């Protein structure tokens, strides 16, 4: 049986009502997690819309845990083996597509996984991620993608660096303000927009030195939120 099929079968058994089946599935998944390719398989299962949503959600939870424990050697909580660069690249390339998933729970799970990887890799090892998120929010062509990107950015916002924060405020402040002001915007989505701007504003407040010039330049973008 191929690795992906074994992992999918374990995920399905972990949803079984039989406690013995669940225990065996968890033990097998722990073994599979030690093999190269485990994260890639989880990503593929997560993104395959023909697979039941509850199975995909479990794959997303395990992928987030996998990133935490196997992505960067030497970091707190790391457990060998470290994910290979080839596997990392495959996951980074494929995962953002899940931000447009029609299932809100899966979409949120993908957003959390993307944010977890971005915490280690963006922007240097994951160039283009923030641009993809910003452009998707600006274009608003796909409501699912819009919600997925906003959720992802909400998780990422508190960890952005001094170069990224002013750029995002300038690029997204008008877009987020328009969403909040639109009476047809769902309350939950408006709350996410407000949360993002709150995190970004807090990030701006902590900047000093060379970044202060950038902050002064974008102060009009912030004024509308005060």
């Amino acid at each position: 049986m191929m690795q992906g099929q074994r992992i999918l079968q374990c995920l399905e058994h972990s949803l079984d009502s039989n406690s013995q089946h669940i225990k065996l599935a968890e033990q097998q998944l722990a073994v599979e997690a030690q093999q190269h390719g485990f994260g890639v398989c989880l990503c593929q299962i997560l993104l395959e819309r023909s697979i039941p949503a509850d199975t995909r959600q479990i794959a997303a939870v395990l992928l987030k845990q996998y990133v935490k424990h196997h992505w960067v050697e030497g970091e707190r909580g790391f457990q060998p083996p470290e994910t290979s660069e080839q596997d990392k690249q495959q996951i980074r390339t494929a995962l953002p597509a899940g931000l447009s998933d029609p299932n809100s729970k899966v979409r949120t799970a993908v957003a959390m996984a993307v944010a977890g990887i971005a915490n280690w890799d963006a922007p240097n090892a994951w160039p283009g991620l923030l641009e993809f998120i910003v452009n998707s929010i600006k274009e608003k062509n796909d409501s699912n993608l819009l919600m997925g990107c906003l959720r992802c950015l909400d998780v990422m916002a508190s960890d952005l660096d001094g170069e990224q924060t002013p750029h995002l405020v300038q690029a997204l402040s008008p877009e987020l303000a328009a969403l909040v002001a639109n009476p047809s915007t769902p309350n939950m989505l408006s709350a996410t927009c407000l949360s993002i701007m709150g995190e970004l504003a807090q990030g701006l407040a902590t900047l000093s030195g060379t970044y202060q010039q950038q902050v002064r330049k974008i102060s009009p973008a912030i004024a509308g939120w005060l």
Side-chain angles (χ1 to χ4, degrees), residues 81-93:
E82 183 178 15
T83 310
S84 69
E85 285 302 320
Q86 181 179 358
D87 282 6
K88 288 180 181 180
Q89 185 57 45
Q90 283 186 256
I91 294 170
R92 287 191 296 254
T93 299

Side-chain angles (χ1 to χ4, degrees), residues 100-171:
S100 65
D101 198 280
N103 184 290
S104 62
K105 291 182 179 180
V106 172
R107 193 168 58 239
T108 296
V110 171
M112 299 294 287
V114 170
I117 296 173
N119 184 51
W120 302 120
D121 291 0
N124 294 334
W126 203 348
L129 174 63
L130 280 176
E131 287 76 6
F132 169 76
I133 291 174
V134 168
N135 290 337
S136 297
I137 294 172
K138 284 185 172 183
E139 292 169 2
K140 303 181 184 69
N141 291 332
D142 182 330
S143 60
N144 290 326
L145 180 58
L146 172 64
M147 290 185 286
C149 286
L150 286 172
R151 184 70 185 93
C152 185
L153 186 58
D154 190 26
V155 179
M156 293 172 57
S158 61
D159 295 319
L160 297 172
D161 63 28
E163 291 185 7
Q164 295 169 317
T165 301
H167 166 71
L168 282 175
V169 170
Q170 190 169 22

Side-chain angles (χ1 to χ4, degrees), residues 28-217:
Q28 183 60 38
L29 285 169
V31 173
E32 294 289 350
Q34 300 302 307
Q35 308 301 315
H36 289 296
F38 180 68
V40 173
C41 290
L42 289 176
C43 184
Q44 291 170 343
I45 292 168
L46 168 59
L47 298 177
E48 180 50 66
R49 296 182 183 181
S50 66
I51 295 173
D54 51 358
T55 303
R56 296 165 64 207
Q57 283 178 251
I58 294 178
V61 170
L62 290 179
L63 180 60
K64 183 183 176 184
Q65 294 175 356
Y66 175 80
V67 169
K68 179 180 179 181
H69 295 303
H70 298 284
W71 206 258
V72 180
E73 186 174 4
E75 293 293 337
R76 183 178 180 181
F78 174 79
Q79 299 173 9
E82 183 178 15
T83 310
S84 69
E85 285 302 320
Q86 181 179 358
D87 282 6
K88 288 180 181 180
Q89 185 57 45
Q90 283 186 256
I91 294 170
R92 287 191 296 254
T93 299
L95 196 56
L99 293 172
S100 65
D101 198 280
N103 184 290
S104 62
K105 291 182 179 180
V106 172
R107 193 168 58 239
T108 296
V110 171
M112 299 294 287
V114 170
I117 296 173
N119 184 51
W120 302 120
D121 291 0
N124 294 334
W126 203 348
L129 174 63
L130 280 176
E131 287 76 6
F132 169 76
I133 291 174
V134 168
N135 290 337
S136 297
I137 294 172
K138 284 185 172 183
E139 292 169 2
K140 303 181 184 69
N141 291 332
D142 182 330
S143 60
N144 290 326
L145 180 58
L146 172 64
M147 290 185 286
C149 286
L150 286 172
R151 184 70 185 93
C152 185
L153 186 58
D154 190 26
V155 179
M156 293 172 57
S158 61
D159 295 319
L160 297 172
D161 63 28
E163 291 185 7
Q164 295 169 317
T165 301
H167 166 71
L168 282 175
V169 170
Q170 190 169 22
L172 288 180
S173 180
E175 307 295 333
L176 298 180
L179 284 169
V180 172
N182 190 333
S184 66
T185 300
N187 290 338
M188 187 175 294
L189 199 60
S190 294
T192 300
C193 293
L194 291 169
S195 175
I196 291 170
M197 281 306 300
E199 290 288 355
L200 293 177
Q202 187 173 353
L204 288 177
T206 64
L207 298 181
S208 60
T210 57
Y211 295 119
Q212 281 302 311
Q213 186 176 359
Q214 291 177 272
V215 173
R216 286 193 291 270
K217 286 182 179 179

